[in-house]
Amino acid sequence: MQTGPTVHHRTTEPVIPPADDHSVLDRWARVVATVPEAPALAGAGTARTFRETDRTVRSLAAVLGDVLRPDDRSGAGVGPEQTGASVPVGIMAGHTTETVVGMLALFAAGRTVVVLDDHLPEARLQHVVSLAGITEVLADDARTDLAAAVLGATGTVHQLDALIARATDTATATDTATPADTAAANRPGGTDPAAIVFTSGSTGLPKGVAMTHRQLLRNVEQSAVSAAYRPGDLVGVVLPLSFAAGILTTLDSMLSGAAAVLLDARDLGTERLLEGMDTEHVTAVVCTPHLLRSIVSTVSDHGPATADPRRHAGEPTLHPALARLRFVMTVGEPITGTDVHAARPVLGDRTVLWNGFGSSEMGAVSYFPVGPDDEVPAGVVPAGYTPPGKTARVLREDGSVADAGETGQLVVVSDGMTAGYWGAPEKTREHLGVDEDGTPLWRQGDLARLEADGCLVLLGRDDDAVKVRGYLVEPSEVEAALRAVEDVHDVVVTALVEPPAVTRLVAYVVGRPGRRTPAPAALRRALRERLPEYMVPAAIVPMPELPRNERGKVDRAKLPGAPSLEVEMVEGEYDQWELVVGQIWAEVLGLRGVHLDEDFTALGGDSLSAEEMLAIVQARLGVDLRASELLEQPTLRAFARRVRVGAKSLPSHPDVVKVSEARQPGRPPVFCLSGAGALGLTFLPLSRYLPEHDVYAFQQHGLERRAVPDWSIQRTARRTVELMRIVQPRGPYLLVGHSLGGLVALEVAKLLTEGGEHVEHVAILDTYLPRSSAEQAQLHFGRMQPTPIRNPALRAVKHGLDRMAKRILPAGVPVGEEFAKRVRAYGAGVLRYGGQKDFDALFDQASIVTRRHTPTPYAGAATFVLADGNPDVDGWGDVLRGTTSTVRIESEHSSLLREPHVAELAAALRTAFTTDRPGS
């Protein structure tokens, strides 16, 4: 049973107590009278106190009464009866304090507000204007032209900056009215629409949600229980004012006497957003989980601008913008326990994380706080507990109330919810109902359960559920299981329904920044430990980030198409060898079946999966194959044929393999050089993006067949050039080196150039500069200083021993835990340690070789690709002395050659190879 968390809110009476307010303006008047000199607005735009804001609002409302067309109450209206309503007026002035002033003035003028977001495409804005029936827009100077284009010839744009200046002058000259005058002059309220917000349209056409005065007021009262806003709080409004969450955060804070600080995260980016929060001394923020993850990633990667002096020695330092936060509330999409754990180290000791659940239609429904000392829920954080004024019920299909812990449809009962959809009575009737006592109730379409203690747990949308092989599956449950995997940063799961084919699940996954991109096969294996087999996605697509719409939610329409999916393998379509090998592939990759013409890497296999598969093939079938042969025969059909004829019938070179053949011949081949302890297999994903080139991959001598490895970069380069010239006797040459391969590529370029050949381009992929022996000694053994030997005879003996040791261990005698690695390195390629340890041994061997190497300066055309964390950004300028293009890719070092990052890498290389072509 879910136990209730510690309640983290103030128990003192709110400064602005609840009252029988009819309108937002009634409560506004009480706030202004109570805290007139407290800050009300800050951030982007003009900062104002409550008194200053009220003066401008009242005067601007009077000016608007003169300039706006008379309101004939011909608006489309809301609710099942669709009674006439005030004609909406648009406002387009950005994420600024002036927009908030304009909103309040329109309320005071008795008009309904639609905030128009200039981040939206013009066509989308035109659609919103048409649905709302807007003919007039208040726009600031920067957006006047856009507003005019959106409205068309029949609409009118009013210059908001000029109107506010006029209103400010009038208010200064005739400051006679009191705050109550605003409410008395024009009193819209109750179920009258105050604002209309439009849904994202990711599942259909946008719907205009009419947020009423009563809904806004109830939300303010409920936030007093959760956020407990008070005068002196500075609340970061980082969500757009065209969103319900943006409007609610602004009014919840201001109508409680706190200041709204306008900071647009979309324009600022996370680093500048943090700077703005720090400058404005923000004490609370409401954001999406996606934005919180971005902030955590930014702070974790770059560290704080200044340390927090309150932290004890040894504890991580905090960004000052985060250290002072009283709470962070996430809304809009699920947040997980993994997210909370990741955020906790970068937040203050007293910062409370709130998970808020609600919608444009229902406002805030429930809250779940996680305090610094609370146990963090596993998986998705519950929706939490409803505040006073809201009741959550879970109903069975027959309409009866479900028992505690039983899944059903969520219904929310409250008099503080939307009156319906603007101009859509049928759609309103699908969701809006009336409880037995006459209180409105709303069915949003959420599946949920209520725990015995009243905690609400969301289980997805009832209209998202799909049947997979006869089982009802909720994609959000699969998303929750994927989010529980440590290396998964973000995910969305969709259903691919294409009758008569069987319905399949497709997962789009973003890896955590700075970590290796999780392989689809590894994710499938992790899911099979958590979910029934029918809930494991048939396809897992790695993504650098998920496409999001203007509301910050995943834009499913912009997700890429799913790759070819797994199939049932049946006799007749597959021969016996194809069935046997296909079953091994499916076992390793976590699939039910494999297409004959699908290749291993495209199905999610990586180098570790390849080695596992080859080991099973050897154990079960007695055929000993190398990973390079999987590169040459990448599809199930071709690889099964290779297994059938046996490894000895098709000899190949152990150090080089042809990764792919040009589909559009005409360009020179690309020679790729692998990193230390890495297979040529790692370049297969890149080769798919270079269809105009043959692609060859080189790997360390001794990696797959027993042999003494090269003990210098120069020796590796000479061996590489000999093999390259068999394939391509004359230039121009294209070289790509990853990690260790970058150093080899430069030496290869030197040998070719000295031999009179033309090297067209060299690409260095996240290679680190070598550390000298002295630097390495300082790094690992800096505290160990040898005691000098003064006796001449002993010095002579030591000198002889040193020379002998130098012949055996050229890099010197290691100390401490490095000793085992050093010994293993000197057996690399000759001794077999088993499995991954063989690759590790060659990696350690290459590390020794690299430390003794001085890179050769290169004056030709080059591209230097930087992944995350490379410490040698500046040092490469001394090595790459020709025309060099530097490309930064947000990827972990080894993930650079894997999806989704390899697509960005390939685009950079294709541009470089095209630019350097003769005559280009």
Side-chain angles (χ1 to χ4, degrees):
M1 180 185 299
Q2 174 70 48
T3 59
T6 306
V7 178
H8 298 274
H9 62 82
R10 297 185 177 90
T11 57
T12 57
E13 289 296 320
V15 175
I16 312 299
D20 188 21
D21 296 317
H22 174 68
S23 164
V24 167
L25 302 171
D26 295 338
R27 186 172 177 103
W28 171 256
R30 294 194 292 120
V31 173
V32 175
T34 305
V35 288
E37 304 308 324
L41 289 168
T46 303
R48 293 178 171 89
T49 65
F50 280 98
R51 186 193 302 277
E52 293 166 341
T53 304
D54 183 64
R55 288 174 180 169
T56 305
V57 165
R58 288 186 286 108
S59 184
L60 180 57
V63 172
L64 292 176
D66 295 334
V67 302
L68 294 177
R69 299 170 186 173
D71 185 8
D72 58 5
R73 306 289 292 180
S74 61
V78 294
E81 292 77 25
Q82 295 294 287
T83 55
S86 171
V87 177
V89 176
I91 182 167
M92 186 187 293
H95 197 75
T96 63
T97 60
E98 282 68 36
T99 295
V100 178
V101 169
M103 288 171 53
L104 293 172
L106 286 169
F107 292 163
R111 308 305 280 264
T112 303
V113 178
V114 178
V115 179
L116 300 173
D117 189 350
D118 62 289
H119 284 75
L120 297 181
E122 186 175 316
R124 169 78 175 200
L125 289 171
Q126 289 172 338
H127 194 47
V128 169
V129 165
S130 175
L131 288 175
I134 294 172
T135 60
E136 295 179 278
V137 172
L138 308 182
D140 63 2
D141 292 342
R143 297 167 179 83
T144 299
D145 291 343
L146 176 59
V150 169
L151 276 178
T154 59
T156 302
V157 178
H158 302 284
Q159 300 280 348
L160 181 60
D161 293 330
L163 293 176
I164 290 179
R166 175 180 163 188
T168 301
D169 292 341
T170 303
T172 303
T174 59
D175 185 18
T176 57
T178 65
D181 292 336
T182 301
N186 198 319
R187 287 178 51 86
T191 57
D192 291 328
I196 304 172
V197 296
F198 285 84
T199 57
S200 64
S202 59
T203 57
L205 291 175
K207 301 187 295 289
V209 180
M211 303 181 73
T212 68
H213 283 262
R214 183 178 296 159
Q215 179 183 3
L216 298 177
L217 286 168
R218 292 293 181 268
N219 215 83
V220 172
E221 295 165 0
Q222 290 156 11
S223 70
V225 177
S226 57
Y229 296 124
R230 65 177 182 185
D233 274 337
L234 296 137
V235 182
V237 180
V238 300
L239 301 177
L241 294 171
S242 59
F243 296 5
I247 292 176
L248 292 175
T249 302
T250 301
L251 295 180
D252 286 351
S253 55
M254 294 181 71
L255 295 181
S256 298
V261 181
L262 282 298
L263 298 167
D264 195 336
R266 300 170 300 178
D267 290 336
L268 296 172
T270 51
E271 290 190 22
R272 290 172 58 203
L273 174 63
L274 288 168
E275 291 173 7
M277 290 170 59
D278 185 28
T279 300
E280 299 290 348
H281 294 87
V282 167
T283 60
V285 68
V286 179
C287 64
T288 62
H290 177 67
L291 178 54
L292 177 60
R293 295 180 197 119
S294 298
I295 290 173
V296 171
S297 177
T298 296
V299 174
S300 299
D301 288 346
H302 304 296
T306 57
D308 181 1
R310 295 174 299 172
R311 303 297 276 187
H312 299 294
E315 295 184 351
T317 55
L318 300 183
H319 194 293
L322 302 177
R324 68 170 61 90
L325 291 179
R326 180 163 62 82
F327 73 83
V328 176
M329 183 180 294
T330 61
V331 297
E333 61 183 342
I335 187 170
T336 66
T338 301
D339 294 323
V340 177
H341 281 299
R344 178 54 61 197
V346 305
L347 298 174
D349 296 333
R350 296 181 294 277
T351 305
V352 179
L353 271 164
W354 287 84
N355 179 35
F357 163 61
S359 70
S360 304
E361 295 88 343
M362 300 182 294
V365 173
S366 60
Y367 306 92
F368 191 95
V370 183
D373 300 321
D374 288 340
E375 181 179 353
V376 177
V380 176
V381 176
Y385 303 87
T386 55
K390 287 271 171 62
T391 300
R393 294 178 189 159
V394 175
L395 304 181
R396 302 187 182 100
E397 289 188 8
D398 61 5
S400 60
V401 177
D403 294 332
E406 184 180 354
T407 299
Q409 187 177 73
L410 175 65
V411 172
V412 176
V413 182
S414 174
D415 68 346
M417 297 188 294
T418 181
Y421 297 115
W422 186 260
E426 294 299 325
K427 180 62 67 175
T428 298
R429 277 191 282 268
E430 291 176 10
H431 298 272
L432 183 63
V434 180
D435 200 20
E436 295 177 354
D437 62 357
T439 305
L441 59 83
W442 190 268
R443 296 179 177 87
Q444 187 73 10
D446 294 297
L447 295 175
R449 69 171 182 267
L450 277 170
E451 304 289 8
D453 67 343
C455 183
L456 179 66
V457 178
L458 295 179
L459 302 171
R461 301 269 299 176
D462 60 1
D463 52 1
D464 284 346
V466 293
K467 285 287 187 74
V468 178
R469 293 180 238 158
Y471 296 93
L472 189 66
V473 176
E474 175 51 51
S476 64
E477 188 174 355
V478 183
E479 292 176 0
L482 278 166
R483 284 194 172 96
V485 178
E486 183 179 0
D487 287 335
V488 172
H489 177 64
D490 208 356
V491 63
V492 64
V493 175
T494 65
L496 185 62
V497 183
E498 295 178 343
V502 176
T503 297
R504 305 287 192 182
L505 297 177
V506 180
Y508 298 87
V509 177
V510 179
R512 289 203 173 273
R515 296 190 185 183
R516 185 180 178 88
T517 303
L523 291 175
R524 286 194 191 96
R525 288 194 292 269
L527 287 179
R528 279 187 164 87
E529 296 176 358
R530 295 172 169 86
L531 299 174
E533 194 269 343
Y534 61 84
M535 295 183 69
V536 177
I540 296 178
V541 183
M543 300 276 288
E545 62 180 3
L546 297 179
R548 293 182 180 271
N549 56 29
E550 68 277 5
R551 300 173 66 86
K553 295 187 178 180
V554 175
D555 192 338
R556 294 168 187 260
K558 292 183 179 179
L559 290 168
S564 55
L565 303 178
E566 56 184 337
V567 295
E568 296 284 355
M569 297 186 299
V570 296
E571 293 188 32
E573 298 176 11
Y574 295 70
D575 66 26
Q576 291 300 310
W577 276 101
E578 288 165 348
L579 282 173
V580 169
V581 176
Q583 288 166 358
I584 294 173
W585 279 29
E587 176 183 337
V588 171
L589 297 172
L591 301 172
R592 291 190 304 115
V594 178
H595 282 285
L596 274 172
D597 295 313
E598 190 65 272
D599 79 47
F600 190 83
T601 304
L603 289 168
D606 56 9
S607 57
L608 295 179
S609 303
E611 291 301 313
E612 179 184 358
M613 183 271 293
L614 292 171
I616 295 175
V617 168
Q618 181 180 20
R620 295 183 185 176
L621 308 179
V623 179
D624 185 10
L625 299 177
R626 301 185 305 277
S628 58
E629 291 169 293
L630 179 59
L631 282 175
E632 295 170 334
Q633 318 289 336
T635 67
L636 174 59
R637 189 191 304 274
F639 189 75
R641 187 185 307 120
R642 183 73 175 84
V643 172
R644 183 169 57 243
V645 299
K648 295 183 179 179
S649 63
L650 293 173
S652 59
H653 200 285
D655 297 343
V656 61
V657 62
K658 189 174 184 179
V659 178
S660 66
E661 188 166 349
R663 300 190 296 274
Q664 305 165 14
R667 293 286 289 134
V670 176
F671 294 100
C672 301
L673 298 103
S674 300
L679 294 167
L681 172 69
T682 57
F683 285 103
L684 181 57
L686 176 63
S687 71
R688 294 196 185 94
Y689 290 93
L690 303 173
E692 60 271 22
H693 301 272
D694 288 339
V695 178
Y696 293 83
F698 291 78
Q699 57 195 30
Q700 280 173 280
H701 190 58
L703 187 68
E704 292 206 77
R705 287 185 185 171
R706 292 190 190 213
V708 177
D710 297 322
W711 277 94
S712 73
I713 299 293
Q714 290 83 358
R715 180 67 188 94
T716 301
R718 288 195 295 272
R719 186 191 301 278
T720 301
V721 169
E722 292 170 2
L723 293 172
M724 283 174 56
R725 284 192 150 172
I726 295 174
V727 175
Q728 183 188 1
R730 303 301 301 270
Y733 290 93
L734 296 173
L735 306 176
V736 176
H738 177 242
S739 196
L740 168 73
L743 298 175
V744 178
L746 290 176
E747 199 64 28
V748 166
K750 173 189 175 183
L751 293 175
L752 290 171
T753 301
E754 290 175 348
E757 297 296 339
H758 173 54
V759 177
E760 186 174 302
H761 201 92
V762 177
I764 308 297
L765 310 184
D766 205 42
T767 299
Y768 287 27
L769 288 171
R771 265 58 178 173
S772 67
S773 299
E775 289 172 330
Q776 196 70 21
Q778 284 292 323
L779 198 59
H780 292 287
F781 317 120
R783 295 186 180 180
M784 300 186 63
Q785 301 295 332
T787 302
I789 300 176
R790 305 184 183 280
N791 186 297
L794 291 178
R795 279 204 306 269
V797 171
K798 180 181 183 301
H799 181 65
L801 292 173
D802 286 346
R803 283 191 299 172
M804 185 182 300
K806 191 70 174 179
R807 287 196 294 270
I808 301 172
L809 298 175
V813 180
V815 179
E817 63 182 10
E818 293 294 313
F819 182 79
K821 286 186 178 181
R822 188 66 60 86
V823 171
R824 182 175 66 183
Y826 284 99
V830 179
L831 302 178
R832 284 294 182 239
Y833 303 102
Q836 181 63 31
K837 291 181 179 179
D838 290 329
F839 296 91
D840 293 341
L842 278 159
F843 179 90
D844 296 336
Q845 183 265 348
S847 298
I848 296 172
V849 171
T850 300
R851 288 200 292 269
R852 300 205 300 259
H853 178 69
T854 300
T856 301
Y858 180 64
T863 295
F864 181 41
V865 179
L866 277 171
D868 294 339
N870 191 312
D872 300 321
V873 178
D874 298 326
W876 274 99
D878 295 330
V879 178
L880 301 176
R881 299 179 180 178
T883 302
T884 302
S885 173
T886 300
V887 178
R888 295 179 181 270
I889 296 178
E890 294 184 2
S891 165
E892 179 265 349
H893 177 76
S894 60
S895 297
L896 191 63
L897 296 174
R898 301 177 58 190
E899 296 288 358
H901 309 291
V902 71
E904 184 179 355
L905 169 63
L909 294 183
R910 293 185 69 177
T911 298
F913 294 166
T914 302
T915 302
D916 291 333
R917 290 178 63 175
S920 63

